[in-house]
Structures are given as structure tokens and as C-alpha cells.
């Protein structure tokens, strides 16, 4: 469809952390740094790992916990080094069909929420069943990239 796409993602490992009781913006900041330290070598193998995209944030309606995640690069999918920070963990996300809406610019939590609501409205109008109680934000760019930025919101298909 012109206003969203349906993607099939395979099972994959992500390195994640959950930040509780902060605003989404602050949770993203804290979570990013915890995960960045992991890829810079704060892991059992003291191994540097390449930064990957997207950086995702799980947003659950009615909750103030945010799960921030980095995709584990393909060469480490089989055995990612274990984190040494007890707040950081490796998770395996199962294969899933995901509805995706893309947008540009600098994304704020408000902009992500607006785009997620727009995607939810479109999916409801088209009779597409999806998990409405949570969505993911996905950012693809360094904060230093000023133009042609790429952001997404994701709803999982039922």
C-alpha cells in the first residue's frame, strides 16, 4: 500500500535493555548508551561490535517501561557475546509479519505516537488485524545526519 508496507522479518537476536519510569525521550537516551557500551566492548568477550540499525524502542500503551534494542549484526547472530551489564540482555525475536509506516525528519516521541496512530487508523480502516497494545519505533540515522532521515513505526500483524 502507498501509506504502509507489510514486511516479513525472520527470527533474529537483538541486544536490549529496559528503562523504567522515565519519559520515552530520556529512556531512549539512557538505553542507547547502555547498548552502545555493550557494542564498544562491555561484554564477556570484551569484543567491539559494529553499530547496526535500526535502533528500536518498544512502546506499550499505559506503561512507562521502554525496551530499547540494537540489532545484533549477522556475523554475531549465532553466538553474540553476553553482556556484562546486568541491565542489558540478548533476546531472540521470533519471525513475524510487521506493518511498517516510514517517515522522515527528526523523530520525537510525539511524532512517533502520531505516526503510530495514523498507521493504526489505516490498518483498522482496511480490516487488517494487528496487535494494538504495543508498537515499535525504529530509527535508522545517527543524530548527526541532518537530511534524508528515515524513521519507522511498526505494528505486528495478528
Amino acid at each position: 500500500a502507498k501509506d504502509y508496507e507489510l514486511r516479513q522479518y525472520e527470527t533474529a537476536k537483538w541486544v536490549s535493555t529496559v528503562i523504567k519510569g522515565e519519559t520515552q525521550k530520556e529512556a531512549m537516551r539512557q538505553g542507547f548508551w547502555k547498548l552502545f557500551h555493550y557494542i564498544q566492548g562491555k561484554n564477556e568477550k570484551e569484543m567491539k561490535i559494529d553499530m547496526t540499525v535500526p535502533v528500536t524502542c518498544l512502546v506499550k500503551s499505559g506503561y512507562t517501561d521502554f525496551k530499547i534494542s540494537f540489532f545484533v549484526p549477522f556475523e554475531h547472530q549465532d553466538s553474540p557475546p553476553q553482556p556484562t551489564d546486568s541491565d542489558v540482555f540478548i533476546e531472540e525475536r521470533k519471525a513475524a509479519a510487521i506493518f511498517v509506516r516510514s517517515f522522515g525528519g527528526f523523530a520525537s516521541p510525539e511524532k512517533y505516537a502520531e505516526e503510530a496512530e495514523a498507521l493504526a487508523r489505516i490498518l483498522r480502516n482496511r480490516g487488517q488485524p494487528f496487535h494494538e497494545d504495543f508498537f515499535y519505533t525504529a530509527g535508522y540515522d545517527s543524530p548527526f545526519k541532518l537530511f534524508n532521515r528515515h524513521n519507522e513505526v511498526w505494528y505486528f500483524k495478528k
Side-chain angles (χ1 to χ4, degrees), residues 12 16 18 20 31 38 44 71 82-83 103 114 139-140 142 156:
S16 302
V18 174
K20 299 174 192 282
Y38 167 81
E44 65 180 12
F71 179 76
Q82 287 304 305
F103 61 99
E114 195 179 290
Y140 286 82
S142 142
F156 282 55

Side-chain angles (χ1 to χ4, degrees), residues 14-47:
W14 295 70
V15 59
S16 302
T17 188
V18 174
I19 306 293
K20 299 174 192 282
E22 297 289 352
T23 63
Q24 184 177 346
K25 186 173 186 169
E26 179 58 20
M28 281 294 293
R29 191 189 69 73
Q30 287 182 23
F32 178 89
W33 285 109
K34 281 185 176 290
L35 299 174
F36 188 75
H37 292 308
Y38 167 81
I39 66 171
Q40 286 297 300
K42 195 172 180 184
N43 57 64
E44 65 180 12
K45 295 180 183 166
E46 296 183 355
M47 178 190 291

Side-chain angles (χ1 to χ4, degrees), residues 65-147:
D65 300 8
F66 299 97
K67 182 170 66 178
I68 294 81
S69 307
F70 289 1
F71 179 76
V72 173
F74 292 109
E75 64 268 25
H76 299 292
Q77 279 287 317
D78 289 340
S79 60
Q82 287 304 305
T84 52
D85 179 338
S86 60
D87 292 340
V88 176
F89 56 95
I90 304 294
E91 67 169 323
E92 185 170 87
R93 293 189 194 165
K94 299 293 177 216
I98 300 176
F99 293 108
V100 179
R101 180 173 171 87
S102 300
F103 61 99
F106 279 90
S108 62
E110 295 75 23
K111 180 67 174 160
Y112 277 125
E114 195 179 290
E115 294 292 336
E117 187 44 53
L119 177 56
R121 197 168 43 246
I122 291 162
L123 295 174
R124 283 186 209 107
N125 289 343
R126 302 214 175 129
Q128 292 282 8
F130 66 101
H131 293 276
E132 297 192 37
D133 52 334
F134 68 93
F135 66 90
Y136 279 91
T137 68
Y140 286 82
D141 302 303
S142 142
F144 307 110
K145 183 173 181 182
L146 301 179
F147 302 104

